[in-house]
Amino acid sequence: MIDSYAGSDDAAVAIAGVRAGADVVRALYGRRLSRIDKGAGDFATAADVEAEKTILGIIRAARPDDAILGEEGGQQGAGDAVRQWLVDPLCGTLNYAAGNMLVAVNVALRDGAAAVADPFGGEVFFTDGVTAWVRQDGADDAPLTPTPATRLVDVNLDPPFPSAPGFRTVDLLAHPEFVARFRPRVVSTSLALAWVAAGKRAAYVTDGGDLSGSVHFAAGIAVCRAAGCVVTGIDGAPTGEGGRGLVVAADDETHRLLMSMMRSRS
């Protein structure tokens, strides 16, 4: 019952939110769902909408005075509120609609606790804002430990491309040093970030503006930071301080290598 979270800490609220959203995503998977056109080729499904409603119910019950920014429902409460929750109920809608299970559910308290759920993998990656952990049913929580050992780098090739022609993610894939050292993969944004924190990926790269306050990225960024990953914009500037796009690496060496390749291409 959502009322049971009223006395919980923020991490518990975030975890409860993503788990409830994940339940909805699993329940509606494989059905013929109506689509809501959002323009520029983007859309939401009934699963996005229903999952967000469920998550917002959890947050409102536990934190009735906090503001919420939802991917589908927009701003609720004051936009300049001291405490604001960022909710992306289904990261990877295109995958989901195509019958692909590589999706995630995100909930983040701005500059605080956050959680990312893998609805079909059964994992929840979360942080209290200081440390980062992974929770899986039937197992004890385990600390997230980034490592570049896999040499897999997730790259986002979706538009928009605000840094072109100076930087284009696709150019990185053709860089001789990248090809010699890494292998590219593309999945749900949130899963990609959580997997860097968990040591399943060496890095993640995407173009864009300041993504630190985005419902798509906030939870993943929070988990990665708490796990000890290197997190900057594509220009090397800290996210939230004018940095554009996102480069998240498991360690300093991987981050340095990627930044060097990107700068040489531009």
Side-chain angles (χ1 to χ4, degrees), residues 102-116:
L102 292 175
V103 300
V105 178
N106 310 329
V107 172
L109 176 64
R110 189 184 292 274
D111 300 322
V116 174

Side-chain angles (χ1 to χ4, degrees), residues 108-126:
L109 176 64
R110 189 184 292 274
D111 300 322
V116 174
D118 178 349
F120 299 101
E123 292 177 310
V124 175
F125 307 89
F126 67 95

Side-chain angles (χ1 to χ4, degrees), residues 87-181:
V87 176
D88 184 359
L90 180 50
C91 179
T93 300
L94 187 58
N95 279 348
Y96 186 81
N100 188 313
M101 294 182 177
L102 292 175
V103 300
V105 178
N106 310 329
V107 172
L109 176 64
R110 189 184 292 274
D111 300 322
V116 174
D118 178 349
F120 299 101
E123 292 177 310
V124 175
F125 307 89
F126 67 95
T127 176
D128 57 4
V130 179
T131 57
W133 302 77
V134 60
R135 177 174 297 178
Q136 193 160 27
D137 292 339
D140 294 334
D141 293 348
L144 292 174
T145 307
T147 171
T150 65
R151 298 196 302 163
L152 298 174
V153 176
D154 277 298
V155 290
N156 184 358
L157 301 177
D158 293 339
F161 309 115
S163 299
F167 169 77
R168 296 189 309 167
T169 310
V170 67
D171 293 336
L172 180 63
L173 304 185
H175 193 290
E177 192 174 356
F178 183 93
V179 174
R181 188 173 181 97

Side-chain angles (χ1 to χ4, degrees), residues 203-244:
Y204 172 84
V205 180
T206 186
D207 195 1
D210 177 9
L211 303 176
S212 61
S214 165
V215 295
H216 302 292
F217 292 90
I221 289 174
V223 168
C224 286
R225 279 181 172 153
C229 300
V230 182
V231 182
T232 71
I234 59 172
D235 50 4
T239 58
E241 299 180 19
R244 295 177 294 106

